[in-house]
Amino acid sequence: MSSPFRANPRNPLRLLPAIAFLLLLGLGPLSPPPAYAQASAPADQAEPAAPAPSDQAAPAPAPPSCDSKTLEKCTPNSGDTAWMLASVALVLMMTIPGLGLFYGGMVRKKNVGDTVMTSFFITCLVTVLWAVCNYSFAFRAGMPFIGGTDRLFLQGILSDIATNTGNPNSLAPTIPETVYMCFQMTFAIITPALIAGSFAERMKFSSMCVFMALWATLVYAPIAHWVWGPDGFLNSANDAAYVKVLDFAGGTVVHINSGVAGLMTALVLGKRRDTGPAHNVVLTFIGASLLWVGWFGFNAGSAVSAGMQAGMAMTVTQIATAAAGLAWMFVEWILRGRPTLIGICSGAVAGLVAITPASGFVGPAGALVIGVAAGVFCYWGATALKHAFGYDDALDAFGVHAVGGITGALLTGVFAIQEYGGTAGAIEGNWAQVLNQAQGIIIVLVYDAVVTLAILKVIDLVMGLRVEEEIERDGLDLALHGETIQ
């Protein structure tokens, strides 16, 4: 028997399946899910909430988030805190093992142990001094020239684990003050360690210990406060500053500071009695690579937040470093006939140095120019300038860090972009910022040179600075430490 639908194509019953399907398709969206229906119900139709029992206490309000206006008993931003914890580790890696290997590969074999031990010792020494007094002197409010004493021995750093609240430093409002203290500690560690490149292979270890303790307290801490302290007289964020100097991550505080101190040390100690080729260029390559990676914590971490400024700082750091490495290599290739591994590594470090003050203020185009300039000028500083004046800056602390820091600080005033860092430079018509940068450089340079020279002279009078001729000839490792590198 045939179907009635097939027998009569005009039979209206044949449309029933299609009509049912269309009704289901059309009516489905008209019946919202229960959760949506409750959310969209008119307020006058909503059922009243059941009253809470009178004997049940209301939950305590959550602590407020930490920001520039809320600095007491507030909750830090977890994303910013995580980034800054990582940055602490990255910057510490720059000194141990980065700088130790970078310098250790360039000295002679008989002095490698003393060179790397110097970096390790300074890490230990400055950590203790920072906790005892130097953090308070550098990063707490006090006077325009030196900070206060309210954080001596880190007293008063609040971190209530039970409630996840704290009282952050106003300079880093979204992270715990303990994290900010540790981050700035890593800067205080690497700065005096950089000086060691100037006096490598000829300074008494005992005298070096005393020198570093005095220098970290009398030179680094005050200059850090001038440029970065909340009431520092060179701090661009301080409305009452004498000169508003842009230094995002340490062009003046770290690099000019350490480079000038290195020059003073080299001048007081005099030249090495004999020199020789680098012990192991592979160690220098490894050290330079660790410095490059760690420098992202150095520069991008100086944004003190995991945001857009940190992203731009990381971008320009990479660009400037690569450009400087290429610039140094090609200049060396043209002038000396061949490119060297130590040359391209030194050029990359020069780029890292020069972009440091600019990293939070310039864009990619400015970073490219700064990198090329750093490669060219630092090559000149490590070769022609040193030979012209005859000082023995053994591992080019002045030629790379002071010259690179001055280059970067001045060009920060040229290429600063209002949109990136809040301050316009000469490229946007604000030539006054170049003058501000120059004044900051001169002030830091003069203070650093005078105080460093005074410290060295006193130590030389009391205990002597330089090892005996026999020790220098045989090597510092065996004579001063009883160890040798095989």
Side-chain angles (χ1 to χ4, degrees):
M1 183 176 177
S2 61
S3 169
F5 301 112
R6 292 181 181 176
N8 185 6
R10 295 185 180 181
N11 189 336
L13 295 177
R14 66 186 292 274
L15 299 176
L16 284 177
I19 292 171
F21 176 74
L22 291 172
L23 285 173
L24 290 173
L25 189 65
L27 293 177
L30 298 179
S31 302
Y36 179 82
Q38 288 180 352
S40 60
D44 57 356
Q45 295 180 7
E47 295 183 3
S54 58
D55 59 348
Q56 182 177 349
S65 299
C66 297
D67 55 34
S68 58
K69 296 180 180 179
T70 306
L71 298 173
E72 293 185 358
K73 296 184 178 180
C74 53
T75 302
N77 180 285
S78 58
D80 291 347
T81 302
W83 166 235
M84 295 309 298
L85 288 169
S87 295
V88 170
L90 286 169
V91 184
L92 182 60
M93 184 182 71
M94 292 170 62
T95 305
I96 49 170
L99 187 68
L101 292 174
F102 182 72
Y103 279 170
M106 289 192 286
V107 298
R108 288 168 294 172
K109 186 177 180 179
K110 60 186 179 181
N111 296 316
V112 175
D114 179 76
T115 301
V116 297
M117 185 175 175
T118 296
S119 290
F120 205 94
F121 163 78
I122 290 171
T123 301
C124 298
L125 173 70
V126 174
T127 296
V128 173
L129 290 174
W130 195 251
V132 170
C133 60
N134 285 347
Y135 169 69
S136 192
F137 292 159
F139 288 98
R140 298 297 296 180
M143 299 181 293
F145 300 98
I146 194 68
T149 58
D150 63 331
R151 288 292 184 269
L152 295 181
F153 294 91
L154 300 183
Q155 60 179 325
I157 286 190
L158 174 65
S159 183
D160 191 336
I161 306 300
T163 61
N164 192 32
T165 59
N167 295 344
N169 191 307
S170 62
L171 299 169
T174 64
I175 65 174
E177 187 176 7
T178 50
V179 177
Y180 184 65
M181 182 277 298
C182 284
F183 179 67
Q184 292 298 346
M185 176 194 292
T186 59
F187 283 62
I189 287 169
I190 196 170
T191 306
L194 292 170
I195 303 172
S198 66
F199 60 72
E201 303 189 298
R202 61 197 189 277
M203 190 174 190
K204 288 182 178 179
F205 190 82
S206 57
S207 301
M208 183 276 297
C209 295
V210 177
F211 169 70
M212 290 301 177
L214 293 174
W215 192 90
T217 305
L218 300 178
V219 179
Y220 181 83
I223 290 178
H225 185 77
W226 299 354
V227 179
W228 290 332
D231 48 2
F233 76 98
L234 300 178
N235 187 349
S236 61
N238 177 17
D239 293 335
Y242 170 68
V243 180
K244 293 182 180 295
V245 177
L246 299 179
D247 187 358
F248 191 70
T252 51
V253 178
V254 176
H255 297 295
I256 296 175
N257 203 6
S258 61
V260 170
L263 177 62
M264 296 300 103
T265 309
L267 291 174
V268 172
L269 282 170
K271 292 183 179 182
R272 288 168 290 178
R273 291 183 173 88
D274 63 308
T275 60
H279 158 62
N280 190 330
V281 295
V282 174
L283 292 182
T284 298
F285 159 76
I286 295 171
S289 302
L290 290 170
L291 286 169
W292 191 334
V293 174
W295 223 286
F296 292 124
F298 202 74
N299 287 357
S302 292
V304 203
S305 64
M308 295 181 68
Q309 193 172 40
M312 180 59 79
M314 179 173 285
T315 299
V316 299
T317 297
Q318 179 70 13
I319 292 171
T321 305
L326 292 174
W328 184 302
M329 185 193 77
F330 283 119
V331 170
E332 183 181 47
W333 200 346
I334 292 169
L335 297 180
R336 297 195 172 184
R338 63 186 67 183
T340 66
L341 177 59
I342 286 184
I344 194 170
C345 289
S346 298
V349 172
L352 291 165
V353 169
I355 197 60
T356 292
S359 53
F361 304 109
V362 306
L368 193 61
V369 176
I370 290 172
V372 172
V376 173
F377 284 115
C378 290
Y379 178 83
W380 167 79
T383 55
L385 180 66
K386 180 166 65 173
H387 295 152
F389 287 93
Y391 56 85
D392 186 9
D393 179 9
L395 307 180
D396 297 315
F398 180 79
V400 171
H401 293 278
V403 173
I406 291 170
T407 300
L410 289 173
L411 292 181
T412 299
V414 175
F415 292 105
I417 304 295
Q418 174 82 28
E419 185 179 6
Y420 296 154
T423 302
I427 198 171
E428 292 185 331
N430 181 22
W431 283 95
Q433 189 58 48
V434 179
L435 297 178
N436 288 349
Q437 300 298 105
Q439 288 184 72
I441 291 168
I442 293 170
I443 291 170
V444 168
L445 191 153
V446 170
Y447 176 84
D448 185 6
V450 171
V451 178
T452 300
L453 191 60
I455 294 172
L456 290 168
K457 289 295 186 182
V458 171
I459 295 174
D460 195 22
L461 287 173
V462 174
M463 55 192 302
L465 284 171
R466 187 162 179 161
V467 297
E468 297 174 358
E469 183 176 354
E470 182 180 355
I471 294 175
E472 187 174 342
R473 184 185 64 247
D474 295 339
L476 277 60
D477 290 0
L478 186 60
L480 300 184
H481 309 289
E483 298 172 316
T484 57
I485 303 298
Q486 300 300 325

